[in-house]
Amino acid sequence: MLSPDAPIGIFDSGVGGLSVLRHIQAQLPHEHLLYFADSSFAPYGDKPEDVVVARVLSIADYLATHGVKALVVACNTATVAAVRELRERYPAMPIVGVEPGLKPGAASTRNGKVGVLATERTLLGSKFLALRDQIHEATGADFLLQPCVGLADQIEFKELDSGETAAMLERYIHPLLDQGADTLVLGCTHYPLVRASIERVLARAGRADVVLIDTGDAVARQLARLLEAEHLLRPAGEQPASLTAFTSASSAALTVAFTSLLGIDPPVHEVEIAVPVVSQ
Ligand code: DGL
């Protein structure tokens, strides 16, 4: 039996999910939150799908041992690969995934050309490609897909403002602008963390008019809707809401990420998760 007082589990391959967590904290300030950064196994984006599925199930199982009442897969790559398997494993639990915002991208474009920045794994996923075809058919929008190999890693290693990250962004964004994109979907939860650098690339290209789509806010709203429908919202009580973090890598690194990205300093615990064995 799920209880409104139980925590919500949120996870990502690393620090990218903090771009979703900040919206959840803002919209659901009374909820207890557990955040899991799987930084020792990051990036997910260059790993085979079955490996990502096995890993995601292990992380969800770990969070389930803490009695979570809901799960937020704050990672596009993990959602595209594994949300179906997660829902099969935890049928009674509200599960919210994050997918590249193709629908808001199609709603925002003025010329029908939408660039999508995401990991290779996300852009190869059959769930993602089906969504792309469906929205293209419904709206006529063309989606220009740009795999951003290495970008999540740069952000994971806190190279937010480095010259190398800026050069990588130029390399990935310019071809989309050359093809006429007037809207860019940030299809990986790490990317909103370099939004300022992306805006600088656009400004330098004389394209400050390009609209950026980040679905963190919509994900938090969807979570609130699901919790309300299941009568699982935690009321404002005497006990303040808590945030506890877990990482499969170094707690010091995650602490630095929380402090520098969100300005908060939750307790962080190091956890070992067995490397998934995937049968051939
Ligand atoms: N933050 C993850 C996403 O939204 C991916 C980063 C990775 O490759 O691990 O896709």
Side-chain angles (χ1 to χ4, degrees):
M1 185 67 186
L2 302 171
S3 146
D5 206 42
I8 297 166
I10 303 163
F11 68 94
D12 177 48
S13 61
V15 301
L18 298 188
S19 73
V20 177
L21 174 77
R22 64 188 173 193
H23 290 286
I24 295 174
Q25 281 195 308
Q27 290 187 37
L28 294 167
H30 308 304
E31 298 292 341
H32 294 309
L33 304 177
L34 304 181
Y35 184 84
F36 194 109
D38 193 12
S39 302
S40 75
F41 207 69
Y44 285 178
D46 64 0
K47 296 197 167 57
E49 187 166 79
D50 49 357
V51 171
V52 175
V53 171
R55 186 71 180 185
V56 165
L57 292 176
S58 303
I59 307 283
D61 291 348
Y62 177 76
L63 289 168
T65 64
H66 286 269
V68 293
K69 65 179 176 185
L71 281 173
V72 178
V73 188
C75 174
N76 294 259
T77 312
T79 300
V80 168
V83 79
R84 191 169 52 86
E85 286 82 352
L86 266 180
R87 292 198 168 114
E88 276 167 18
R89 176 142 7 188
Y90 293 103
M93 194 178 296
I95 297 177
V96 181
V98 180
E99 273 174 317
L102 301 190
K103 220 168 163 191
S108 127
T109 180
R110 291 141 286 160
N111 67 1
K113 291 192 190 324
V114 179
V116 184
L117 302 162
T119 69
E120 251 185 321
R121 165 74 18 243
T122 295
L123 298 178
L124 289 172
S126 50
K127 192 171 187 297
F128 168 78
L129 293 171
L131 181 71
R132 182 215 36 195
D133 293 347
Q134 185 200 326
I135 296 177
H136 169 71
E137 220 152 274
T139 65
D142 285 324
F143 295 102
L144 313 165
L145 310 187
Q146 177 61 62
C148 300
V149 177
L151 183 55
D153 261 350
Q154 288 294 110
I155 298 164
E156 197 59 35
F157 296 115
K158 300 181 193 60
E159 297 285 327
L160 303 191
D161 289 318
S162 75
E164 205 183 317
T165 303
M168 209 179 246
L169 287 171
E170 301 263 354
R171 207 161 61 240
Y172 292 141
I173 291 172
H174 276 248
L176 297 173
L177 300 180
D178 292 345
Q179 292 171 80
D182 68 358
T183 300
L184 295 182
V185 172
L186 306 181
C188 167
T189 52
H190 281 70
Y191 304 166
L193 302 174
V194 286
R195 187 182 180 113
S197 308
I198 295 173
E199 285 171 344
R200 279 197 293 274
V201 171
L202 294 172
R204 274 199 297 277
R207 294 299 311 277
D209 59 302
V210 168
V211 176
L212 298 178
I213 305 286
D214 164 17
T215 55
D217 188 47
V219 168
R221 269 183 280 126
Q222 170 68 357
L223 174 64
R225 267 195 299 272
L226 279 184
L227 291 177
E228 189 173 11
E230 302 288 329
H231 308 289
L232 284 173
L233 280 174
R234 180 173 182 261
E238 282 151 32
Q239 292 291 331
S242 63
L243 168 63
T244 305
F246 303 94
T247 176
S248 59
S250 127
S251 59
L254 187 58
T255 297
V256 171
F258 265 102
T259 320
S260 60
L261 297 170
L262 300 189
I264 54 177
D265 186 14
V268 179
H269 305 282
E270 290 179 12
V271 173
E272 215 169 298
I273 301 281
V275 174
V277 180
V278 175
S279 49
Q280 295 303 306

